[in-house]
Amino acid sequence: VLNRIVPGTPVYHLTMDFLPIFVVAVLLGPIWAAVAYGIADTIGSILLPFGPYNPGITISLMILGLIYGLVFYHKDLSGKNLIIRTVIASILTFLVKLFITTFFLYLMFGGEGFLAYVVTRIPNCLAIAVANLILLPIVYKLLVERIRIKTTV
Protein backbone atom coordinates (compact mmCIF):
# COMPACT_ATOMS: atom_id res chain seq x y z
CA VAL A 1 0.00 0.00 0.00
CA LEU A 2 2.89 2.39 0.76
CA ASN A 3 4.12 2.17 -2.82
CA ARG A 4 0.82 3.57 -4.06
CA ILE A 5 0.81 6.71 -1.92
CA VAL A 6 3.77 8.40 -3.62
CA PRO A 7 2.86 9.82 -7.06
CA GLY A 8 4.50 8.31 -10.09
CA THR A 9 3.88 6.08 -13.05
CA PRO A 10 3.73 2.27 -13.12
CA VAL A 11 7.28 2.25 -14.52
CA TYR A 12 8.89 5.13 -12.58
CA HIS A 13 8.14 5.87 -8.95
CA LEU A 14 9.97 6.10 -5.65
CA THR A 15 8.47 4.48 -2.59
CA MET A 16 9.32 3.67 0.98
CA ASP A 17 7.41 0.38 0.95
CA PHE A 18 10.63 -1.50 1.69
CA LEU A 19 10.91 -0.08 5.23
CA PRO A 20 8.24 -2.21 6.96
CA ILE A 21 9.49 -5.23 5.02
CA PHE A 22 13.00 -4.55 6.29
CA VAL A 23 11.67 -4.57 9.85
CA VAL A 24 9.87 -7.87 9.23
CA ALA A 25 13.02 -9.30 7.64
CA VAL A 26 15.28 -8.37 10.56
CA LEU A 27 12.84 -9.60 13.22
CA LEU A 28 11.20 -12.62 11.55
CA GLY A 29 13.44 -13.70 8.67
CA PRO A 30 13.43 -14.09 4.91
CA ILE A 31 10.32 -16.25 4.46
CA TRP A 32 8.08 -13.94 6.49
CA ALA A 33 9.52 -10.88 4.77
CA ALA A 34 8.83 -12.39 1.33
CA VAL A 35 5.29 -13.35 2.34
CA ALA A 36 4.66 -9.91 3.85
CA TYR A 37 5.87 -8.14 0.69
CA GLY A 38 3.74 -10.41 -1.49
CA ILE A 39 0.62 -9.84 0.61
CA ALA A 40 1.23 -6.09 0.88
CA ASP A 41 1.68 -5.72 -2.89
CA THR A 42 -1.40 -7.80 -3.65
CA ILE A 43 -3.57 -5.86 -1.19
CA GLY A 44 -2.18 -2.57 -2.51
CA SER A 45 -2.96 -3.65 -6.07
CA ILE A 46 -6.55 -4.40 -5.12
CA LEU A 47 -7.20 -1.33 -2.96
CA LEU A 48 -5.26 1.28 -4.95
CA PRO A 49 -4.59 -0.06 -8.44
CA PHE A 50 -1.69 1.55 -10.31
CA GLY A 51 -2.68 -0.15 -13.53
CA PRO A 52 -3.39 -3.81 -14.16
CA TYR A 53 -2.14 -6.24 -11.51
CA ASN A 54 1.24 -7.71 -12.43
CA PRO A 55 2.14 -10.89 -10.51
CA GLY A 56 5.70 -10.54 -11.81
CA ILE A 57 6.12 -7.35 -9.79
CA THR A 58 4.84 -9.19 -6.73
CA ILE A 59 7.42 -11.93 -7.36
CA SER A 60 10.24 -9.38 -7.65
CA LEU A 61 9.14 -7.76 -4.38
CA MET A 62 9.04 -11.15 -2.68
CA ILE A 63 12.61 -11.71 -3.88
CA LEU A 64 13.56 -8.42 -2.21
CA GLY A 65 11.92 -9.59 1.03
CA LEU A 66 13.99 -12.78 0.84
CA ILE A 67 17.13 -10.75 0.23
CA TYR A 68 16.50 -8.46 3.21
CA GLY A 69 15.94 -11.50 5.40
CA LEU A 70 19.01 -13.35 4.16
CA VAL A 71 21.21 -10.29 4.58
CA PHE A 72 19.93 -9.08 7.99
CA TYR A 73 18.14 -11.87 9.91
CA HIS A 74 20.15 -13.34 12.82
CA LYS A 75 23.24 -11.44 11.71
CA ASP A 76 25.64 -9.33 13.74
CA LEU A 77 24.47 -5.81 12.95
CA SER A 78 26.73 -3.97 15.35
CA GLY A 79 29.09 -1.23 14.22
CA LYS A 80 30.32 -1.45 10.65
CA ASN A 81 28.49 -4.76 10.04
CA LEU A 82 25.21 -2.87 9.70
CA ILE A 83 26.76 -0.59 7.06
CA ILE A 84 28.36 -3.48 5.15
CA ARG A 85 25.10 -5.43 5.11
CA THR A 86 23.19 -2.31 4.09
CA VAL A 87 25.55 -1.80 1.14
CA ILE A 88 25.06 -5.45 0.11
CA ALA A 89 21.27 -5.15 0.40
CA SER A 90 21.29 -1.88 -1.56
CA ILE A 91 23.33 -3.37 -4.41
CA LEU A 92 21.06 -6.42 -4.56
CA THR A 93 17.98 -4.18 -4.45
CA PHE A 94 19.37 -2.16 -7.35
CA LEU A 95 19.97 -5.33 -9.40
CA VAL A 96 16.55 -6.85 -8.67
CA LYS A 97 14.73 -3.61 -9.43
CA LEU A 98 16.80 -2.92 -12.54
CA PHE A 99 16.60 -6.36 -14.13
CA ILE A 100 13.80 -8.47 -12.63
CA THR A 101 11.22 -5.76 -11.98
CA THR A 102 12.08 -4.10 -15.29
CA PHE A 103 11.65 -7.43 -17.10
CA PHE A 104 8.12 -7.82 -15.72
CA LEU A 105 7.29 -4.22 -16.61
CA TYR A 106 8.58 -4.84 -20.12
CA LEU A 107 6.38 -7.95 -20.42
CA MET A 108 3.40 -5.95 -19.22
CA PHE A 109 3.81 -2.78 -21.28
CA GLY A 110 6.00 -3.86 -24.23
CA GLY A 111 7.76 -1.18 -26.15
CA GLU A 112 11.12 -0.58 -27.78
CA GLY A 113 12.88 -3.48 -26.13
CA PHE A 114 14.04 -4.72 -22.78
CA LEU A 115 17.39 -2.91 -22.94
CA ALA A 116 15.61 0.42 -23.51
CA TYR A 117 13.57 -0.19 -20.35
CA VAL A 118 16.72 -1.06 -18.40
CA VAL A 119 18.55 2.09 -19.48
CA THR A 120 15.62 4.39 -18.71
CA ARG A 121 15.04 2.82 -15.29
CA ILE A 122 18.64 3.23 -14.05
CA PRO A 123 18.02 6.60 -12.32
CA ASN A 124 14.90 5.31 -10.55
CA CYS A 125 16.64 2.13 -9.41
CA LEU A 126 19.68 4.09 -8.22
CA ALA A 127 17.45 6.41 -6.22
CA ILE A 128 15.79 3.42 -4.54
CA ALA A 129 19.22 1.92 -3.74
CA VAL A 130 20.38 5.23 -2.25
CA ALA A 131 17.19 5.41 -0.17
CA ASN A 132 18.05 1.92 1.11
CA LEU A 133 21.59 3.04 1.97
CA ILE A 134 20.32 6.02 3.95
CA LEU A 135 17.14 4.72 5.55
CA LEU A 136 17.85 1.10 6.50
CA PRO A 137 20.47 1.94 9.15
CA ILE A 138 18.26 4.74 10.52
CA VAL A 139 15.22 2.47 10.78
CA TYR A 140 17.34 -0.22 12.37
CA LYS A 141 18.75 2.14 15.01
CA LEU A 142 15.50 3.99 15.75
CA LEU A 143 13.00 1.17 15.53
CA VAL A 144 14.34 -2.37 15.24
CA GLU A 145 16.82 -2.10 18.12
CA ARG A 146 14.03 -0.78 20.37
CA ILE A 147 11.65 -3.56 19.36
CA ARG A 148 14.35 -6.14 20.06
CA ILE A 149 15.06 -4.63 23.49
CA LYS A 150 11.36 -4.64 24.44
CA THR A 151 10.83 -8.24 23.30
CA THR A 152 13.84 -9.50 25.26
CA VAL A 153 12.96 -7.69 28.51
Side-chain angles (χ1 to χ4, degrees), residues 48-113:
L48 302 164
F50 220 41
Y53 175 68
N54 186 337
I57 301 299
T58 303
I59 290 168
S60 71
L61 293 174
M62 291 176 75
I63 291 168
L64 287 176
L66 278 171
I67 288 170
Y68 289 140
L70 292 171
V71 172
F72 294 103
Y73 184 61
H74 282 304
K75 304 295 191 249
D76 175 13
L77 299 176
S78 61
K80 66 180 178 181
N81 291 330
L82 177 60
I83 300 304
I84 292 167
R85 292 191 172 280
T86 300
V87 169
I88 291 167
S90 299
I91 291 168
L92 294 173
T93 296
F94 174 77
L95 293 172
V96 168
K97 290 280 192 182
L98 186 61
F99 294 107
I100 298 174
T101 303
T102 301
F103 176 72
F104 288 118
L105 288 169
Y106 170 71
L107 290 180
M108 185 171 172
F109 296 113
E112 294 299 316

